[in-house]
Amino acid sequence: GVEMSNILDKHYEAVCERYGADNIFFMFLYGSQNYGIDTSSSDIDSKAVIFMSEDDVYWRHKIDSHIFFEDGSLCEVMDLVTFIKELLNYKITLLECFITDTVIINSKYEDLFQEFLHLDGPVFDYN
């Protein structure tokens, strides 16, 4: 709903501030709200998938951090390489990015995101 979108917008702004708007690939709502099992005390969490800087790639850094908000919500930030590795290792919860209605896609990477959504079976069946 509107509240989720507002919170995701706030999370997006925080990630932009920390990592730069151009480095964000996409963000999505993560958790109980996607399944309609949230309660009034449920926190609202998101995940942001970002591209690493050249320095991060060169030094093989892994981006894996959390941004905490005063309202109790949090945003987990991870780099695209880690995100894909975790998907390939069957971290099923990451598939929420494909089912949620609450997602922000960097307009620069809209085409890439559409390709990402249509990855066919062999990529995800990789053993």
Side-chain angles (χ1 to χ4, degrees):
V2 173
E3 182 186 351
M4 306 302 173
S5 296
N6 290 343
I7 289 175
L8 197 62
D9 287 341
K10 187 169 82 172
H11 288 200
Y12 186 79
E13 288 171 18
V15 176
C16 286
E17 196 174 299
R18 185 174 292 182
Y19 294 100
D22 286 347
N23 295 323
I24 300 173
F25 183 14
F26 65 95
M27 289 185 67
F28 60 99
L29 183 67
Y30 184 77
S32 58
Q33 287 80 10
N34 284 328
Y35 308 108
I37 58 172
D38 54 309
T39 66
S40 58
S41 62
S42 294
D43 52 0
I44 298 174
D45 300 332
S46 65
K47 285 196 185 282
V49 179
I50 66 170
F51 296 105
M52 291 189 289
S53 69
E54 288 179 27
D55 280 350
D56 289 330
V57 172
Y58 180 80
W59 294 106
R60 298 179 187 220
H61 292 159
K62 177 181 167 188
I63 306 295
D64 183 11
S65 67
H66 295 80
I67 302 173
F68 297 91
F69 297 89
E70 289 178 10
D71 62 6
S73 62
L74 77 93
C75 178
E76 181 181 353
V77 182
M78 59 193 335
D79 61 81
L80 180 59
V81 173
T82 301
F83 181 80
I84 291 173
K85 281 181 182 175
E86 291 196 6
L87 275 178
L88 294 175
N89 284 323
Y90 301 101
K91 189 165 183 185
I92 301 301
T93 56
L94 295 179
L95 294 176
E96 287 185 47
C97 71
F98 299 110
I99 60 134
T100 184
D101 291 331
T102 311
V103 62
I104 296 174
I105 304 154
N106 186 330
S107 58
K108 286 179 62 173
Y109 307 117
E110 181 76 42
D111 291 342
L112 179 60
F113 186 78
Q114 291 307 317
E115 286 181 35
F116 188 72
L117 286 181
H118 295 101
L119 291 175
D120 53 7
V123 172
F124 291 102
D125 289 341
Y126 175 79
N127 188 344

